Every structure is written in structure tokens, then in C-alpha cells.
Amino acid sequence: MNNTLYSGITVAIIAGVSLLLRGFAFIAFPEGASVPKLITRLGNVLPYGIMGFLVVYCLKDAHPLSYPYGLPQLIAVAITVILQAWRKNSLLSVLTGTVCYMIMVQMIFV
Amino acid sequence: MNRFNKPTLKKAFKDSLPVMAGYIFMGMGFGVLLQAKGYSFIWAGLMGLTIISGSMQYVAVDLLSGGASFITTAIMTLMINARYFFYGLSMLGKYREVERGRFYLVATLTDETFSLTSTFDENAPENNDVSRHAYYFLLSMMDHCYWIIGCTAGALIGSAGAFNTAGVEFAMTALFVAIFVDQWMSGKNHFYSVLGVVLSVALLLILGDSFVIPTMIILTLISMLRKPADEKEADSKTKEANTCE
């Protein structure tokens, strides 16, 4: 498959599924319909599990057994965690963590 | 209720300012990242326009460059953006009565827009002249525009070669780590935060790169089947009430 077509379909799938999710409640629960308990429960707890998964997903390509032993990731994650716990400012934590990581992979762990 | 007047515009713009900062910055991170994988600013703008989801667009860069299958892409989107379904659920009452432009409000619902429109209080004295439906619309549109501008600008800056972008992909990791910390510090649902991490690591070690879909399925099943603490509490209270009788 050519790359433009593949990318176009992939973007369309992501956009389509996202739109469906955003609109689904309006289709599935017409006026007055009650929401099943199982659904409410999923809404309360799923975001927590998913975020744990996403962190692991992002770090899956770090190799702890060969140089640089996942050190840039480990250090940058630690900086992000400490800043976020301390200042509770996502922009600040994300920016600082990313800049530190970039400096490490470009200048220190080359 | 549908009037676009000056106080409404002012209120919407003022409320949107923090979102502007966040979206321009996060959008640029995405644009730089996507451009580094060989996609032009047109792709970045198009994705910002149609997907309108920070986390998902960052993951999309990974999916696109890794040549993920369509089914993996669909399931990843379903899981990562499942929260939009719940935002829609919470906005049912408020958005359903909007007659014109409702589709746009629903289609552009994001974490940030939801946090503002869901908490807008029409009855507060300072909002006397603000028309609610117009506020929803203007705010959604402003946030949407910031996002598209950020995504496009990032890709343009990346392609200008102004700086070495190696390592910029860490913005995605940092974003999720920051949200994870916020969730943890909210003091709720630690079980599920830990479950997400442990389950993913375990399946990654066993299955390698194909761990995504099995992790999603098991995570959903456990989330559905396990009774959270507050429901147990409510149950035991009902039981106590029954025994007292």
C-alpha cells in the first residue's frame, strides 16, 4: 500500500473513532434513558489504568541492558514526576522533562 | 440564549487563555515530532483539525511511523479516547438543547474544552450578559483553532531546521507521566494506576511489541468486573441498614 494512502486511512480511522466516541452518548442515551452501572464504573476507573499503560507504552523502547541503559528516560521521568508533584503545573513539567531529555540524548549520552 | 454578544466573546476568550498556552505548546510538540517522521505541515494541520486530541495524536505519530495495522490503530483510539464518551455523557443535558452547531460542540469536545464548558455557571452574577450556547460555541472554536495553529506551527518550525529535534518525542512520555502523577495525587483509584503499569510491563515482557491489544482487553475486563471501594461501601451500608431493620 502506498504511504499516503496508508497514512490517510490511519488518520481517518483515528478521527472517525474519536468522533464516534464523542457523539456516542447522544445516540445511545436518548432523552430519559438511564446509564448502566457498568458504564459509569468504567468511566470512573479506566482513565487511571490507561494512563499507566501509556507511560509503559512510551518507555517500551528503552533498553535497560545496553548503553545508555535507559538512563536518559529514567532521569527525565524522575524530573517530570518531581516537578509535577511539587508545582502541579503540567506545562512546566512536560517542557522541563523534554528539554532535559533532549539535552541528554544530544549532548551527554551520545 | 443564542446571541453572540461582546460579554460572551470576552468571557470565552478570557477563559480560553490557559488553553491557548497549553494547546500551542503541546500542538507544536506534536508538529515537530510528526515532521521529524517525514510528514509535512499539511498532515499536522489536518490531524489537528480532524482528530483534536493531544494524547492520541502523539500516539498516532508512533502508529504511523511504525506502520501499525488498522485494527491496532482503531483499538488504541478506542481505549485512549474512551474518556470522550464519558465527557459526552456528562454534557448530554447541556448540549442536547443547543439547536444550531451542536454537532460542532460534540465533535470538538476535548479535556480542556470539557473542563470549561461543563463548569460554566450561567447563573453566576458576572455571567449575566453571557449567552450560554454562544459561549459553548465560541470557546470550542477558539480551543480548536489554537490546537490547529500549534500543530501546524510545530511542523513548520521543525522543517525549518531551526534546532536539533532529537529527543523531542519525550514530550509524549512527559505528558502521560504528568497526568499519571496528577491522578496519583488525587488519592483515588491507586489500584488501577498500579494495575495499568504492572499489567503492561508483564505483557510487554511476555508478548513483546504485540502487547497493546491484550493489555487493553484485560484492563477493560478487570475494570468492569472489580467492584471499586466506594461501591462496596455503599453495598455494606445498605446491608447494615437492612440488618438494623
Side-chain angles (χ1 to χ4, degrees), chain A residues 57-87:
Chain A
Y57 177 82
C58 288
L59 296 170
K60 70 178 189 309
D61 297 320
H63 297 289
L65 299 178
S66 57
Y67 185 81
Y69 312 106
L71 273 176
Q73 282 93 343
L74 194 69
I75 296 168
V77 166
I79 291 170
T80 311
V81 168
I82 292 166
L83 260 182
Q84 183 65 15
W86 177 36
R87 303 302 297 266

Side-chain angles (χ1 to χ4, degrees), chain B residues 3 37 41 50 59 100 128 195 209 225 231:
Chain B
R3 282 174 307 119
K37 300 287 182 187
F41 72 94
T50 59
V59 172
R100 289 176 57 191
N128 252 341
L195 176 71
D209 274 346
L225 298 176
E231 277 182 38

Side-chain angles (χ1 to χ4, degrees), chain A residues 15-55:
Chain A
V17 173
S18 304
L19 181 62
L20 256 170
L21 284 166
R22 287 172 167 124
F24 192 67
F26 292 83
I27 304 162
F29 303 107
E31 252 149 296
S34 67
V35 181
K37 205 174 181 180
L38 214 56
I39 300 282
T40 340
R41 189 191 289 169
L42 265 188
N44 289 334
V45 303
L46 204 53
Y48 293 83
I50 294 288
M51 211 47 66
F53 158 78
L54 281 174
V55 170

